[in-house]
Amino acid sequence: MMMDEDVEQASLMSFNDRPRAFPNMRSKTYSPLIFRILRKLNVRVVSIILLLCFGAIFYMGASTSPIILFVFIVCIFSFLLSIYLTKWVLAKDEGPPEMVQISDAIRDGAEGFFRTQYSTISKMAVLLAFVILCIYLFRSLTPQQEAAGLGRAMSAYITVAAFLLGALCSGIAGYVGMWVSVRANVRVSSAARRSAREALQIAVRAGGFSALVVVGMAVIGIAILYSTFYVWLGVDSPGAMSVNDLPLLLVGYGFGASFVALFAQLGGGIYTKGADVGADLVGKVEQGIPEDDPRNPAVIADLVGDNVGDCAARGADLFESIAAEIISAMILGGTMAKKCKIEDPSGFILFPLVVHSFDLVISSIGILSIKGTRDASVKSPVEDPMAVLQKGYSLTIILAVLTFGASTRWLLYTEQAPSAWFSFALCGLVGIITAYAFVWISKYYTDYKHEPVRTLALASSTGHGTNIIAGVSLGLESTALPVLVISVAIISAYWLGNTSGLVDENGVPTGGLFGTAVATMGMLSTAAYVLTMDMFGPIADNAGGIVEMSQQPESVREITDLLDAVGNTTKATTKGFAIGSAALASFLLFSAYMDEVSAFASVSFKEVDIAIPEVFVGGLLGSMLIFLFSAWACAAVGRTAQEVVNEVRRQFIERPGIMEYKEKPDYSRCVAIVASAALREMIKPGALAIASPIVVGLVFRVLGYYTGQPLLGAKVVASMLMFATVSGILMALFLNTAGGAWDNAKKYIETGALGGKGSEAHKAAVTGDTVGDPFKDTAGPSIHVLIKMLATITLVMAPVFL
C-alpha cells in the first residue's frame, strides 16, 4: 500500500508542477431556474405543494381507473429509488484534486452547452406549437369528437398542451441523463484506483438513476395526461367522448418528445463527434500522443461531448421511443376494443402503461443485483464487466417474462375470448426474445471478442484503405440478421394476435395489429435496464479520459480502458435494441396513422397502392429523405471537425511549449468552436425532417383535389412514411454497427494485438474510427429518432392531408 501511495504522490507532484490547464468554463455556478426557485422557498411550503400535487394526481387516478392508480404508485416508488441511487453515487469520493479539476471543466462545458442548446430547441418548440394551434383551429374533426361536443378550439388547445408537455418532459429526460453523468464520471475514476468491480457498480447505478427517471417520466407523463383528459372531458359519461377515442388526443405528446429528441440527438451528436474526430486526427495521427492526453486542446470538448451527445441525447431518445410506443399501442388497443365491442376496454388501452410500470420494478432489481467487491484492495479486474452486465440483463429478462404474463392475464382477459390473454402473452414473449436477439447480434458484430471485429482489425494491418473497405462491408452485412429477426417477430406477433379469438361484428379476426403492439411492448419491457447499459458507456468513457488526463498509474488506466471497451459494446448493443424497437414502434404508428385517417375521413383506409404513380413517388421521397438527412448529419460533423483540426494545429504551432507541458492549451476555445458549430449545424437536417412530410402531404392534397382523388395526400404521406421507415432501419443498422466495429477494432489493437498502440495497424484503425464516429454517434442514432418522428408528425398532421 505504501508503494501505491508513493506512486500517487509522485503523479500528483508532477501534475502540480505543470501549468493549471483546466480552468472553469463559466464565471459562476449554474443551476436551472426551477431549482433556484425551490431553494428560495420554505421547506414546509415545498412539502405542502408536493403533497397537494400528489393528492391531485391520486385523485385523478382514482377517478379514472385503479390501473392508473397502480401506475402512479409504481412510478413514484421508482423516483424514490432513483433518489436513493443518486445519494449513493454522490456519497462516493471524487479522488485527488487533479481529477476534480478535470471533472469540473467537463461539467461546466456540458451544462453550458446544454443550456444554450435547449434554449434554442425550446424557442423552436414554441414556434411549432403556434403553427400546430393555427392548423388545428381550421382542421376537421372526427364524427366521434363532434358527437362529444369537442370543438376545434378545444381540440387545438389539447394538442398544443400535449405537444409542449411532451417536449418539456423530453428536455427534462435529457437534462437528467447529462446531470448524473458529469457527476458520476470522476467517482468512477476514483473507484478505479481501488477496484474494477466498484468502478463498474458506480457507473451502473449512475446509469440506473437516469434510466429510472427517464422511463418513469415517460409513463407518468402519459398517465397524468390521460387521467386529466378523462376527468376534464367526462369521458364515458352520457353524450361525452368514448374512452376508445381518448388515446388520439395524446398524439401531440409523442410529437413533442420526438421533436426535442431529434434536435438533442443531432446537436449532441455533432458536438461530440466534431470534437472527437478533430482531437484524434491531430493528437493521435499527427502528433502521436495518446487519446485524452492533457496536451490536446480538443480533449475537454471531446469529453464534454460524451455527456451531451450520448447521455443527454440518449435519455431524450429513449424517452421518445417509449412515449411513441405507448401512445400508438393505446390507440390500437382502443380501436380493437371498439371493433370487438369489448364491454370494458380500459385494460386494452392502459396495458402499455402497466407493462412499463413493471419494467421499472424488474429493471430496478437488475440494477441492484450488480454488487461491488468486498475486497477493496483488489486493483485488477477479476471478472469480465460485460459478463456482469449480462447477468443483470438475464435476470431482468426472466422477471420480464413472468411479469408480462401476469399483466396479460390481469388486463387482457375477456369473456368474449377467454384464451386471448395467453395469445397476447406469447406475443410479448416474441418481443422479449427479439430484444435479446438484437442485443446479441449487435454484441457479435461490435465486440472485439468475436470474429467480425477481429477480422476488421486484421484488415487494418494492410493499410487504411483495407480497413475502410472491411468496415463498410461489415456494416452492410450486419443488416441481414436484424431484418430477419424483425420480419419473424412482426409476422409471428400478427399471427398470434389474429388467432387470439377476438373478432369484430362480422366475425373477422381483429387482434393482429394489437398483437404486434404487444410484441413491441415486450421488446421494450426491459427498456430501463437497457438504458442503464447505454448510460454506462459514456460514463466509463469519461472516467477513462479523467484517468488519462490526470496521469494516474498504469494499473488504473487498465481498469478504465477495460470498462471503456465494454462501454463501447453496450452503447452499440443498445443502439441495435433502439433500432429494433423503432422498427416495431414505427409499424404501430403507421397502423395508428391509417386508423386516424379512417376516423377523420369516415371511409375505410386499410391499403396503400404503390402502383399509383403519385404514391410510388411518395415512397421514393421517403427513401431519399433518409439518405439526404444522413448526408447532412455526417457533413455537419466533417465541417465541425475541420474547424477543430485547424484550431488544434494553430495552438500546437503557436504554442510549441504545449508538447513539453510548459504551456497550457486553450481548452475553452475548442469548446466554444464545437458548441457554436453544433447549434448552427443541427438546424438544417432537423428542419428537413419536420418540413418534408407536411410539404409533401399538402402538395399532394392539392393535386388530389384537382384530379378527383380525395385521399391522395394521405396516401402519399403513408407511402413516404413506409419507405422512410424501411430505408431508415437499414441505414441506421449499417451506420451504427460499422461505427461501433471500427471503434472496437481500434480498442482491440490498443490491447497489444497486431503491434499495439503506435503501430501502422493502429494508425489505420484510428482512421476507421474517425470515419465511424459520425456514423454511430450522429447520423445513426438520429435516424431512428427521425423515423419515429416522421410517424408522430403524420399522426398530428393527418387532418391537414385530407
Side-chain angles (χ1 to χ4, degrees):
M1 291 297 293
M2 288 297 293
M3 288 181 63
D4 294 330
E5 290 176 5
D6 290 342
V7 170
E8 288 183 13
Q9 188 66 29
S11 174
L12 181 59
M13 288 175 64
S14 63
F15 187 90
N16 287 335
D17 288 339
R18 299 171 193 162
R20 271 298 177 215
F22 313 108
N24 288 331
M25 297 292 175
R26 61 176 178 241
S27 57
K28 60 181 180 178
T29 303
Y30 169 78
S31 62
L33 177 63
I34 185 66
F35 292 168
R36 298 200 299 271
I37 293 173
L38 288 174
R39 286 195 195 109
K40 292 178 181 178
L41 294 176
N42 185 281
V43 176
R44 291 181 180 178
V45 173
V46 173
S47 301
I48 292 170
I49 292 172
L50 288 174
L51 283 173
L52 289 174
C53 290
F54 284 141
I57 288 172
F58 279 106
Y59 168 76
M60 288 190 299
S63 303
T64 305
S65 167
I67 302 169
I68 290 287
L69 206 56
F70 169 78
V71 171
F72 284 155
I73 291 170
V74 172
C75 288
I76 288 170
F77 273 110
S78 74
F79 292 148
L80 293 175
L81 177 60
S82 67
I83 292 172
Y84 162 76
L85 291 176
T86 309
K87 295 181 102 176
W88 185 90
V89 170
L90 295 181
K92 298 295 179 180
D93 71 285
E94 296 182 303
E98 63 268 26
M99 281 188 174
V100 177
Q101 190 186 14
I102 298 164
S103 174
D104 286 346
I106 295 169
R107 185 171 68 192
D108 291 349
E111 292 183 346
F113 176 72
F114 184 93
R115 186 169 71 252
T116 307
Q117 181 192 28
Y118 275 73
S119 173
T120 303
I121 293 173
S122 63
K123 291 172 185 173
M124 293 189 292
V126 170
L127 178 62
L128 186 57
F130 179 73
V131 172
I132 294 171
L133 178 66
C134 294
I135 290 172
Y136 266 60
L137 286 174
F138 298 98
R139 66 156 207 170
S140 59
L141 297 171
T142 66
Q144 293 84 358
Q145 289 172 340
E146 289 179 348
L150 189 66
R152 289 180 178 174
M154 180 71 72
S155 176
Y157 295 140
I158 284 174
T159 304
V160 169
F163 171 81
L164 291 174
L165 181 63
L168 175 65
C169 290
S170 185
I172 294 172
Y175 181 77
V176 165
M178 184 272 303
W179 186 90
V180 68
S181 67
V182 296
R183 287 161 176 80
N185 52 15
V186 70
R187 290 166 170 84
V188 174
S189 302
S190 179
R193 298 180 303 150
R194 297 184 293 272
S195 159
R197 190 64 179 263
E198 184 187 349
L200 171 69
Q201 187 187 24
I202 294 172
V204 168
R205 291 197 169 190
F209 156 74
S210 178
L212 292 177
V213 172
V214 167
V215 176
M217 277 180 42
V219 175
I220 202 170
I222 293 175
I224 289 173
L225 209 56
Y226 179 91
S227 57
T228 302
F229 291 159
Y230 188 96
V231 173
W232 182 31
L233 300 175
V235 172
D236 273 350
S237 59
M241 175 182 286
S242 167
V243 70
N244 295 316
D245 301 314
L246 182 56
L248 276 176
L249 299 179
L250 306 177
V251 294
Y253 186 87
F255 181 34
S258 298
F259 175 83
V260 171
L262 180 69
F263 281 99
Q265 187 66 71
L266 268 174
I270 293 167
Y271 187 111
T272 182
K273 290 303 108 178
D276 192 4
V277 172
D280 283 354
L281 286 177
V282 184
K284 294 168 76 173
V285 177
E286 295 182 7
Q287 298 293 331
I289 57 178
E291 186 171 4
D292 299 326
D293 191 290
R295 291 169 291 180
N296 193 327
V299 72
I300 291 289
D302 183 11
L303 295 173
V304 168
D306 291 333
N307 297 287
V308 297
D310 288 330
C311 291
R314 300 297 293 154
D317 178 8
L318 205 66
F319 174 90
E320 177 263 345
S321 290
I322 294 169
E325 175 263 329
I326 289 174
I327 292 168
S328 58
M330 291 174 78
I331 292 171
L332 293 175
T335 302
M336 187 191 70
K338 185 193 296 185
K339 288 179 181 177
C340 299
K341 299 191 182 303
I342 293 174
E343 191 172 330
D344 183 13
S346 60
F348 289 86
I349 295 171
L350 299 177
F351 180 66
L353 294 174
V354 172
V355 168
H356 286 293
S357 298
F358 278 121
D359 170 23
L360 291 168
V361 175
I362 61 176
S363 294
S364 299
I365 295 171
I367 292 163
L368 295 174
S369 71
I370 296 175
K371 306 288 187 181
T373 50
R374 293 180 183 177
D375 185 3
S377 66
V378 178
K379 282 188 174 289
S380 60
V382 294
E383 191 174 1
D384 179 11
M386 194 68 203
V388 178
L389 293 173
Q390 281 290 113
K391 284 180 184 177
Y393 185 52
S394 298
L395 174 62
T396 310
I397 287 279
I398 293 168
L399 293 174
V401 172
L402 298 175
T403 55
F404 206 95
S407 302
T408 52
R409 180 63 181 83
W410 173 27
L411 297 173
L412 302 185
Y413 177 81
T414 173
E415 292 181 1
Q416 290 176 235
S419 63
W421 73 270
F422 185 70
S423 295
F424 290 128
L426 292 178
C427 292
L429 184 61
V430 167
I432 292 170
I433 293 171
T434 301
Y436 194 84
F438 258 86
V439 170
W440 184 87
I441 291 167
S442 298
K443 181 174 176 290
Y444 173 73
Y445 277 108
T446 56
D447 193 336
Y448 62 60
K449 295 174 186 172
H450 301 293
E451 189 64 25
V453 173
R454 294 196 174 204
T455 303
L456 174 57
L458 185 61
S460 304
S461 63
T462 52
H464 302 252
T466 49
N467 170 277
I468 300 300
I469 293 169
V472 170
S473 63
L474 184 150
L476 293 171
E477 179 190 317
S478 70
T479 61
L481 283 177
V483 167
L484 291 175
V485 170
I486 291 171
S487 303
V488 170
I490 290 175
I491 292 172
S492 302
Y494 192 89
W495 180 82
L496 286 168
N498 254 1
T499 56
S500 63
L502 289 171
V503 294
D504 63 13
E505 56 189 8
N506 299 320
V508 178
T510 59
L513 282 176
F514 189 69
T516 59
V518 173
T520 309
M521 287 179 254
M523 188 168 186
L524 284 167
S525 62
T526 56
Y529 190 87
V530 172
L531 181 57
T532 298
M533 291 199 297
D534 190 77
M535 292 290 181
F536 167 85
I539 291 172
D541 192 358
N542 256 213
I546 291 171
V547 165
E548 177 72 40
M549 293 188 73
S550 60
Q551 303 291 294
Q552 296 299 308
E554 191 64 30
S555 59
V556 181
R557 294 184 216 178
E558 287 175 3
I559 290 175
T560 54
D561 283 349
L562 178 62
L563 293 178
D564 186 16
V566 171
N568 280 334
T569 304
T570 60
K571 284 193 290 183
T573 54
T574 49
K575 282 169 189 168
F577 171 87
I579 295 167
S581 65
L584 291 177
S586 296
F587 179 72
L588 298 186
L589 290 163
F590 179 75
S591 303
Y593 168 73
M594 297 184 80
D595 282 347
E596 187 179 12
V597 171
S598 298
F600 278 102
S602 300
V603 295
S604 178
F605 185 58
K606 295 182 178 178
E607 297 174 351
V608 179
D609 186 359
I610 61 172
I612 299 172
E614 294 90 344
V615 176
F616 182 73
V617 167
L620 280 177
L621 292 173
S623 297
M624 176 271 290
L625 172 62
I626 296 298
F627 283 81
L628 184 59
F629 178 88
S630 302
W632 285 0
C634 289
V637 173
R639 284 190 293 269
T640 305
Q642 286 173 3
E643 292 185 47
V644 175
V645 166
N646 290 333
E647 173 60 24
V648 175
R649 283 176 178 167
R650 181 191 68 77
Q651 291 197 33
F652 279 138
I653 292 169
E654 295 180 3
R655 301 181 181 184
I658 288 176
M659 291 299 293
E660 299 172 5
Y661 297 103
K662 293 178 180 177
E663 292 183 80
K664 67 177 184 181
D666 185 357
Y667 297 104
S668 57
R669 177 62 185 154
C670 286
V671 169
I673 287 173
V674 178
S676 173
L679 292 172
R680 181 179 68 248
E681 297 283 359
M682 75 178 185
I683 302 297
K684 190 167 76 167
L688 173 74
I690 294 168
S692 296
I694 299 175
V695 171
V696 168
L698 289 174
V699 167
F700 282 95
R701 175 189 174 176
V702 173
L703 185 62
Y705 175 80
Y706 286 107
T707 57
Q709 302 176 75
L711 288 180
L712 185 63
K715 290 177 180 177
V716 171
V717 168
S719 176
M720 182 182 190
L721 179 58
M722 186 191 306
F723 279 72
T725 300
V726 172
S727 302
I729 291 165
L730 293 172
M731 179 67 83
L733 283 169
F734 162 68
L735 294 173
N736 282 334
T737 310
W742 267 317
D743 195 350
N744 270 350
K746 179 197 70 175
K747 286 284 191 296
Y748 175 60
I749 293 172
E750 288 175 349
T751 62
L754 302 171
K757 292 183 180 179
S759 65
E760 291 303 315
H762 183 241
K763 292 176 182 177
V766 170
T767 299
D769 181 34
T770 56
V771 173
D773 276 341
F775 281 25
K776 67 181 174 67
D777 287 324
T778 307
S782 297
I783 287 174
H784 54 77
V785 180
L786 169 66
I787 59 179
K788 286 174 289 184
M789 199 204 71
L790 288 174
T792 54
I793 197 172
T794 52
L795 270 175
V796 171
M797 297 296 179
V800 180
F801 307 143
L802 301 174

